[in-house]
Amino acid sequence: MSESTAAARIDAPARIQVSKTYKLYVGGKFPRSESGRVYEVTDTKDQWLANAPLGTRKDARDAVVAARAAVKGWSGTTAYNRGQVLYRVAEMLEGRREQFAAEVAAAEGVGAKKAAALVDAAVDRWVWYAGWTDKVAQVAGGANPVAGPFFNLSTPEPTGVVGVLAPQAGHGFSLLGLVSVVAPAIATGNTVVVAAAERAPLPALSLGEVLATSDLPGGVVNLLSGRTADLAPTLASHQDVNALDLAGAIAPEGPGAAAALEAAAADTLKRVVRPAADPTVQDWTAAPGTGRLLSFLETKTVWHPMGI
């Protein structure tokens, strides 16, 4: 008997599958939830997929601290450099296309072809916003006509820390919807704290692994999973959060959730982007336009005397 034949008869030992442990992404690191608790994530057929960290109010506060610490460095980075970083995110996301397609398919209950198309759209959206980083000032700013020997210039500046409620499963896309609300906020120099879709957080948590290897400074994007009803009020009322995107504020808490969060945000004069009137028909594949790019910008107007 030849050695090759003998080797062929040796049964390979049973392999133990290595299950992925999903973690939060806060301050450029991957901590477990402060509570140490997790919750089950299932697919659209109620089959178990993984355990996700059950983020708490303490985790949200820690994420805000990380986001605030990153504001100065990120907002001070040149627009061109921010575009390079966002493009690098797209490159890394493209390299893990198959993994994200599988996670999106499970999260959204769509076929492999549709899931791959959604991932491709998410990559393309990163590239699209990367191209806007050094152009948005031309749209949002300009020279103003004044009566007098002065230059009067308006320039856009980032708002600061933005709390983001990602589109919920069933009301958007677990990856494409997430990218559509996160990318414009950081493209304009803001930092974000994101509450991922409660029922479909896995693509968001995996996105943290992409961001960690994409030259994006720690704290610029912070990703939390858990109950939106627990995380959202903390972001809405936190005095160190400057703005709020309520894209995912409808489900599962009900139609009154967005109004209550907006009222809480008003106490600290936050900018607020309201959710779509009917998020069940919101099409995140449509061209995004510049709405969210301009939503989290402040305008600084400078007067300067003309030289003689």
Side-chain angles (χ1 to χ4, degrees):
M1 181 185 300
S2 66
E3 291 184 5
S4 59
T5 303
R9 291 185 178 182
I10 298 176
D11 294 330
R15 183 176 179 275
I16 299 176
Q17 182 178 358
V18 180
S19 298
K20 182 174 180 178
T21 301
Y22 288 88
K23 296 182 181 179
L24 307 176
Y25 181 60
V26 176
K29 300 178 181 179
F30 296 94
R32 300 180 187 273
S33 170
E34 173 269 340
S35 67
R37 299 168 62 192
V38 298
Y39 71 103
E40 291 188 353
V41 178
T42 59
D43 62 15
T44 55
K45 297 180 181 179
D46 208 31
Q47 298 296 311
W48 182 87
L49 293 174
N51 290 331
L54 186 62
T56 65
R57 290 175 292 179
K58 176 63 164 58
D59 292 315
R61 292 194 296 268
D62 290 344
V64 172
V65 171
R68 174 57 60 191
V71 166
K72 184 177 180 180
W74 184 241
S75 63
T77 300
T78 65
Y80 178 75
N81 185 249
R82 284 201 300 270
Q84 289 180 311
V85 174
L86 262 68
Y87 189 84
R88 177 62 174 167
V89 173
E91 290 179 336
M92 300 301 291
L93 188 56
E94 176 80 19
R96 298 176 65 167
R97 182 173 177 271
E98 292 184 5
Q99 173 199 343
F100 279 95
E103 291 183 339
V104 168
E108 303 292 340
V110 297
K113 185 176 181 180
K114 176 66 173 178
L118 292 172
V119 174
D120 290 344
V123 174
D124 293 344
R125 189 137 304 172
W126 274 114
V127 174
W128 194 81
Y129 281 115
W132 266 104
T133 56
D134 59 355
K135 301 174 183 65
V136 67
Q138 302 170 47
V139 175
N144 307 312
V146 294
F150 302 97
F151 293 111
N152 184 262
L153 306 174
S154 293
T155 59
E157 294 186 344
T159 297
V161 177
V162 180
V164 176
L165 306 186
Q168 298 288 337
H171 294 286
F173 298 97
S174 55
L175 180 64
L176 179 57
L178 175 73
V179 169
S180 298
V181 294
V182 170
I186 67 172
T188 48
N190 298 288
T191 62
V192 298
V193 177
V194 184
E198 180 174 339
R199 297 178 183 174
L202 303 188
L205 297 178
S206 290
L207 181 63
E209 299 170 3
V210 169
L211 299 177
T213 55
S214 302
D215 301 326
L216 190 73
V220 174
V221 176
N222 305 274
L223 298 165
L224 306 174
S225 60
R227 299 188 180 96
T228 304
D230 294 339
L231 301 172
T234 299
L235 297 178
S237 61
H238 201 296
Q239 294 187 8
D240 218 14
V241 174
N242 304 108
L244 203 60
D245 190 332
L246 298 178
I250 296 297
E253 298 87 349
L261 293 171
E262 189 173 354
D267 288 340
T268 49
L269 304 179
K270 289 179 176 60
R271 285 177 173 263
V272 175
V273 172
R274 295 171 175 171
D278 184 2
T280 61
V281 298
Q282 172 121 27
D283 183 11
W284 292 103
T285 64
T290 59
R292 276 191 161 80
L293 271 172
L294 304 178
S295 294
F296 304 121
L297 288 172
E298 306 288 345
T299 300
K300 178 176 72 176
T301 300
V302 178
W303 294 74
H304 193 281
M306 292 182 180
I308 297 176

